[in-house]
Amino acid sequence: MFIAPSILSADFGNFTGDVKRIEEAGADWVHIDVMDGHFVPNLTFGSGVVEALRPHTKMTLDVHMMVDNPEAHVEIFANAGADYFTVHYEATKHLHGLIQTIHKHGMKAGVAINPATPVVAIEPILNDVDMVLVMTVNPGFGGQSFIESTVKKMAQLHEYRREVEGANFLVEVDGGITDETARICAKNGVDAYVAGSYIFNKEDVSEPIDSLKQAIKFGRMKI
């Protein structure tokens, strides 16, 4: 399992401090939501945040690109120190070529699908990606409620990689993740869990991180 706190819910004036807190509390990844104000109506971080955080943590920097024209940003985020570079299926016309470019620049490639996008839409590239991010809310803002209909897609992805040779991608979920919804996701084969407000709204971040880990372990026992 990988716990990936989203710094969208962190203290914008103390990113380094909050990243150190979650690392000490047992988090595995730092999830960085990059929004351009066009693909989604919010505007957040650029590559400078990745570059600033990279010297201060050994955790995986999991960059989620909610932007139009993600092709234009691959090299700069690679140079900044990103580990995963996840792009939306809905944001590019040349997904396969973009995945190749991400790998060429030394990053792992992820593809994200919005709640209304079916798994079949990305089936042609599932053997080429390192991760599939199932959006469990509509992208753009934190603090939304988990969309239960997305669970079916997690199960479909888990079944696909069981049955298809060469499919080695991780399944990640993002949106409305709590101990309760994490348990549901774990039962359907999810590997990585993005949580924002659930973690950063607590003074002691180790408490929600531990709670997520316990919920995921219990859920995976049911697979």
Side-chain angles (χ1 to χ4, degrees), residues 18-219:
D18 272 358
V19 166
K20 287 181 178 178
R21 285 203 304 142
I22 60 173
E23 186 166 20
E24 291 170 357
D28 305 287
W29 297 359
V30 181
H31 189 79
I32 303 168
D33 290 304
V34 178
M35 308 182 195
D36 64 357
H38 296 282
F39 181 71
V40 291
N42 199 2
L43 185 66
T44 59
F45 320 120
S47 61
V49 170
V50 175
E51 186 175 10
L53 291 178
R54 182 72 284 173
H56 297 285
T57 182
K58 295 180 180 179
M59 289 188 291
T60 294
L61 298 185
D62 176 29
V63 176
H64 177 194
M65 301 295 294
M66 287 175 270
V67 303
D68 287 331
N69 191 26
E71 293 85 349
H73 305 282
V74 175
E75 184 173 1
I76 190 170
F77 275 91
N79 291 340
D83 296 298
Y84 276 88
F85 190 88
T86 296
V87 300
H88 271 260
Y89 161 82
E90 303 87 0
T92 179
K93 295 180 180 179
H94 305 289
L95 183 56
H96 187 273
L98 178 52
I99 291 165
Q100 290 179 316
T101 301
I102 294 166
H103 284 149
K104 179 181 177 182
H105 283 83
M107 295 182 292
K108 292 185 177 181
V111 59
I113 51 175
N114 284 338
T117 300
V119 168
V120 68
I122 58 168
E123 195 167 305
I125 52 82
L126 284 178
N127 281 30
D128 300 302
V129 295
D130 302 290
M131 184 166 69
V132 176
L133 170 54
V134 177
M135 291 300 299
T136 46
V137 298
N138 289 296
F141 295 93
Q144 299 182 61
S145 297
F146 184 86
I147 299 173
E148 292 186 10
S149 61
T150 60
V151 174
K152 181 180 178 180
K153 291 192 279 188
M154 304 168 204
Q156 289 173 335
L157 289 163
H158 183 52
E159 190 65 22
Y160 182 94
R161 64 183 176 186
R162 275 182 166 176
E163 295 182 350
V164 178
E165 184 178 354
N168 299 308
F169 55 85
L170 299 176
V171 178
E172 183 177 45
V173 288
D174 181 2
I177 299 302
T178 65
D179 55 346
E180 181 179 346
T181 56
R183 186 180 298 112
I184 295 168
C185 296
K187 289 179 182 178
N188 289 278
V190 170
D191 308 289
Y193 301 77
V194 179
S197 55
Y198 180 77
I199 291 175
F200 286 108
N201 282 358
K202 296 288 180 66
E203 186 174 340
D204 179 6
V205 294
S206 64
E207 178 187 333
I209 289 174
D210 288 344
S211 179
L212 286 174
K213 288 184 176 182
Q214 291 303 314
I216 293 163
K217 285 180 181 179
F218 180 81

